[in-house]
Amino acid sequence: MRRLLKAVVGNAEFREEGLKAQTRSVVALKTAAGVFPLRSSTRVYVEGMSPDALADCAVIATAPDDADVAIVRLNAPYEPRNDLFLEAMFHAGSLDFDAATVAHTEELASKAPVVLVMNLDRPAILTPLEPHYTALLATFGVSDEALVRVLAGKVNPEGRLPFELPRSTQAVLEAHSDEPGGTRDPLYTYGRGLGGVAVPACETDG
């Protein structure tokens, strides 16, 4: 049994397949030329992920004023519920970001183009953030290591949205709760994704 565990747990081949599966799930929803893939000389300010993950493919900036691009990882908003055990295990409540998050994103965008990486364990209303990010990637629990492969252009983001992202809370309230999707004029529709669009490999200078 110990030999079997040593052969399976942490197996490099299995781990690599896991990383590949994660990168294939990344959804490109908005892109812009010159923002990514990252170059080795690109100065990157990072929030919500380990800067060390990008150390081999970019120059880490300690402040957005010194950056060519800001990469921000956010989780979909939710309202914590601690009264019942089962409810505490699932995120629920408002899909809106608080005003502080919107204001902070706007401030970052005034200093460097923002690549927003949204972890969507549930839909989110991105409408207030949309004017402030230059590129948008949707993820579903991927590791920093897998994400960097996409940001560096080593892997093309092939994923598609498994649900729509509504434009507003009002649109959600007006939709039929027993039908998937169906909100009025969603910001990003079900199945949206720039999958298959070629992204050049991570470039070096020199």
Side-chain angles (χ1 to χ4, degrees), residues 18-102:
L19 287 170
K20 287 180 180 179
Q22 289 185 49
T23 59
R24 286 196 293 269
S25 73
V26 176
V27 183
L29 293 172
K30 182 179 180 180
T31 61
V35 177
F36 77 88
L38 303 176
R39 298 171 60 92
S40 61
S41 59
T42 304
R43 300 187 305 276
V44 180
Y45 173 74
V46 177
E47 288 186 358
M49 65 181 291
S50 171
D52 293 339
L54 287 161
D56 292 336
C57 203
V59 178
I60 304 303
T62 57
D65 308 74
D66 301 324
D68 299 313
V69 62
I71 298 175
V72 180
R73 292 197 76 170
L74 290 178
N75 293 317
Y78 69 97
E79 297 173 0
R81 297 185 178 187
N82 299 318
D83 49 343
L84 296 175
F85 174 73
L86 289 178
E87 284 197 352
M89 296 175 62
F90 299 97
H91 291 171
S94 175
L95 304 178
D96 285 299
F97 285 95
D98 56 58
T101 299
V102 176

Side-chain angles (χ1 to χ4, degrees), residues 8 23 26 47 51 57 62 72 80 119 127 145-146 148-149 155 194 204:
V8 174
T23 59
V26 176
E47 288 186 358
C57 203
T62 57
V72 180
N119 180 45
T127 307
E145 184 177 357
V148 168
R149 293 188 180 189
V155 178
L194 306 177
T204 58

Side-chain angles (χ1 to χ4, degrees), residues 130-143:
E130 202 275 338
H132 310 306
Y133 55 75
T134 303
L136 173 64
L137 298 176
T139 63
F140 308 91
V142 306
S143 65

Side-chain angles (χ1 to χ4, degrees), residues 122-187:
R122 63 197 301 254
I125 294 173
L126 302 179
T127 307
L129 297 174
E130 202 275 338
H132 310 306
Y133 55 75
T134 303
L136 173 64
L137 298 176
T139 63
F140 308 91
V142 306
S143 65
D144 286 353
E145 184 177 357
L147 173 62
V148 168
R149 293 188 180 189
V150 175
L151 293 171
K154 296 177 181 178
V155 178
N156 290 322
E158 299 177 359
R160 303 281 178 169
L161 270 184
F163 42 65
E164 69 182 26
L165 300 184
R167 188 170 292 274
S168 67
T169 295
Q170 186 62 35
V172 174
L173 295 175
E174 292 173 353
H176 296 292
S177 60
D178 58 347
E179 295 180 7
T183 64
R184 174 172 45 84
D185 188 27
L187 186 64

